[in-house]
Amino acid sequence: MRASLQLLPLAPIGGLVAALGQDPYTLPLAHLAGLALLFALIRHSPDRTASALRGFLFSLGYFGLTLAWLIHPFQVNAEAHGWLAPIALALLVTGLAFLWSLTIWLSHNLTPDPTWRAFSTALLLTMTEMFREHLFTGFPWALPGYIWTDQPIGQAASLIGVHGLTALTLFVAALPFTGRRPIASLLLAAGLLAFLHTFGLMRLAAHPSDSANGIPVRIVQPNIPQEEKWPADFAARNRDRLFTPPLTPATETDPALIIWPETAITWERLEASQTNLPATTLPPNRQILTGIIRQDDHAVYNSALLHRPNTPITHIDKSRLVPFGEYIPLAGFLSRFGLGPLAVGDSSGFSRGDSSTLLTTAGIGPIRVLICYAAIFPGLVRQQHRPIALVQI
């Protein structure tokens, strides 16, 4: 019992080390090392309670560090929302840690033989991470598969997707603690990584990036402080920053598309029956993809629209909303305590829309537009119709 308690501090340390594999640290081998420590602790757990506790403490360290950025949106209006930052972070991290802990507890119950417990845990955690994409409104942040984003191994996502990469990551970390021949299992894990790394290098070499044959686009970042984005006093200045110099006279090197940020247009909203933006006059041969707030008779949406002269507006609405940022769970109840969404919407925030439509651009073709947070949902990216390009604002 004493030995079991002495090992407990290793669990959150393993979680912190594993978190170094995610942005902004991007150390994938650290992630594997942290997971390996978790699987070692699980294999040597005396009972299911110890396994669950070790998994819980590991997850607190892992999600606590990878989600630490959540405190920053609450500081935009710190006087009103700053006190919520530690509460929101603690609730989310604890909930995710409980989910992993429950999975590890179940694995211990289903796998009495400790030599196969790590393998069982990797399998169930893969299913848990897939479930996380759909639980409540979904929150697939910090999936283990994302550690390979900027690595050649990440090219395997073209075959198995990010959930496949998550499974691969978990199984590679679990292999040295699976079975009765740890050296052979370790060599198998190393060989699998080497094979996938080689595959990624070959795929990158076979499909090199060629900017000379690319599609010219212009991305505009006006660098407007968040506290100056919405007040009417800054509307004219903010509009000028967006329009100048992106809309200079046409030249032979014109961009095929000008891209503005999420909710870039703050001086007006897109109404349900509106087919153009009269206050946003474009010169010929210009088309803009921009974020805007759209509203109809029933709801308010965080939207992206495609606008070009003499052509009706087309748009998509954000379908995955940020909890507490763009909508408040149990909004009717919590509004009694003065709690509203951090983003601009109405008293209950934005409504969930439909983002499955492709927007057809002149000179490029159909594009899939993802608004901010929605880009982390694999199911939104891999839909039935394949676009020419993906654009995230």
Side-chain angles (χ1 to χ4, degrees):
M1 180 65 177
R2 181 177 297 177
S4 178
L5 291 175
Q6 289 175 344
L7 291 175
L8 278 182
L10 293 177
I13 291 173
L16 291 171
V17 171
L20 297 179
Q22 301 284 358
D23 275 332
Y25 314 102
T26 60
L27 301 172
L29 294 183
H31 185 84
L32 290 176
L35 284 177
L37 180 55
L38 171 66
F39 289 126
L41 291 171
I42 290 172
R43 173 163 177 162
H44 295 98
S45 291
D47 53 51
R48 59 190 179 186
T49 301
S51 285
L53 180 58
R54 292 174 182 185
F56 182 77
L57 293 175
F58 173 91
S59 304
L60 284 181
Y62 176 61
F63 290 112
L65 185 54
T66 55
L67 299 179
W69 58 269
L70 276 172
I71 66 173
H72 297 297
F74 293 89
Q75 305 309 314
V76 173
N77 186 0
E79 290 185 4
H81 302 124
W83 65 274
L84 273 173
I87 299 174
L89 179 61
L91 287 175
L92 183 56
V93 168
T94 302
L96 294 174
F98 176 76
L99 193 62
W100 271 48
S101 177
L102 181 63
T103 302
I104 292 169
W105 177 87
L106 180 61
S107 173
H108 192 112
N109 281 311
L110 295 176
T111 319
D113 183 354
T115 59
W116 295 102
R117 192 174 297 148
F119 188 87
S120 168
T121 301
L123 176 62
L124 291 178
L125 282 176
T126 297
M127 297 171 65
T128 296
E129 293 298 86
M130 295 176 70
F131 179 56
R132 249 202 316 135
E133 185 181 351
H134 306 283
L135 180 65
F136 299 113
T137 58
F139 191 74
W141 202 277
L143 297 178
Y146 286 138
I147 68 170
W148 307 112
T149 298
D150 297 320
Q151 304 295 325
I153 289 176
Q155 294 298 309
S158 63
L159 303 176
I160 57 178
V162 68
H163 291 307
L165 281 177
T166 291
L168 181 149
T169 304
L170 291 166
F171 281 114
V172 164
L175 270 174
F177 308 97
T178 300
R180 293 176 173 82
R181 302 178 65 183
I183 300 300
S185 297
L186 181 61
L187 291 175
L188 177 60
L192 182 58
L193 289 178
F195 171 79
L196 291 171
H197 184 81
T198 302
F199 165 79
L201 290 176
M202 293 175 63
R203 190 170 189 272
L204 289 170
H207 304 281
S209 298
D210 185 359
S211 59
N213 294 324
I215 300 168
V217 300
R218 178 173 291 164
I219 300 174
V220 180
Q221 170 52 278
N223 288 326
I224 297 169
Q226 189 67 25
E227 62 271 15
E228 297 178 6
K229 179 172 180 175
W230 297 102
D233 293 344
F234 297 99
R237 185 207 65 182
N238 294 346
R239 189 172 184 272
D240 290 342
R241 284 193 183 183
L242 287 166
F243 274 86
T244 309
L247 302 183
T248 50
T251 68
E252 293 181 358
T253 58
D254 271 352
L257 180 65
I258 298 171
I259 302 172
W260 289 354
E262 178 184 18
T263 57
I265 295 179
T266 58
W267 54 87
E268 64 179 298
R269 292 190 176 190
L270 183 65
E271 304 291 338
S273 59
Q274 198 169 343
T275 59
N276 56 44
L277 289 177
T280 309
T281 304
L282 298 180
N285 303 321
R286 285 290 192 267
Q287 58 183 341
I288 289 180
L289 176 70
T290 181
I292 191 171
I293 293 179
R294 189 181 76 84
Q295 66 181 34
D296 56 24
D297 294 336
H298 308 289
V300 177
Y301 304 92
N302 184 353
S303 303
L305 66 83
L306 182 66
H307 179 42
R308 59 180 182 264
N310 305 316
T311 304
I313 285 172
T314 55
H315 74 272
I316 60 101
D317 300 320
K318 192 172 182 180
S319 61
R320 296 298 181 112
L321 304 175
V322 181
F324 296 99
E326 294 176 309
Y327 83 99
I328 293 288
L330 305 175
F333 171 75
L334 293 178
S335 63
R336 301 176 186 176
F337 303 94
L339 296 180
L342 301 181
V344 175
D346 57 17
S347 60
S348 58
F350 293 113
S351 293
R352 183 173 175 174
D354 179 14
S355 61
S356 62
T357 303
L358 298 180
L359 300 184
T360 301
T361 61
I364 300 177
I367 62 173
R368 185 175 306 287
V369 180
L370 304 164
I371 303 176
C372 192
Y373 170 76
I376 69 172
F377 291 85
L380 294 183
V381 177
R382 298 172 66 93
Q383 299 190 56
Q384 65 272 26
H385 300 296
R386 186 178 182 88
I388 296 296
L390 295 173
V391 181
Q392 181 195 10
I393 62 170

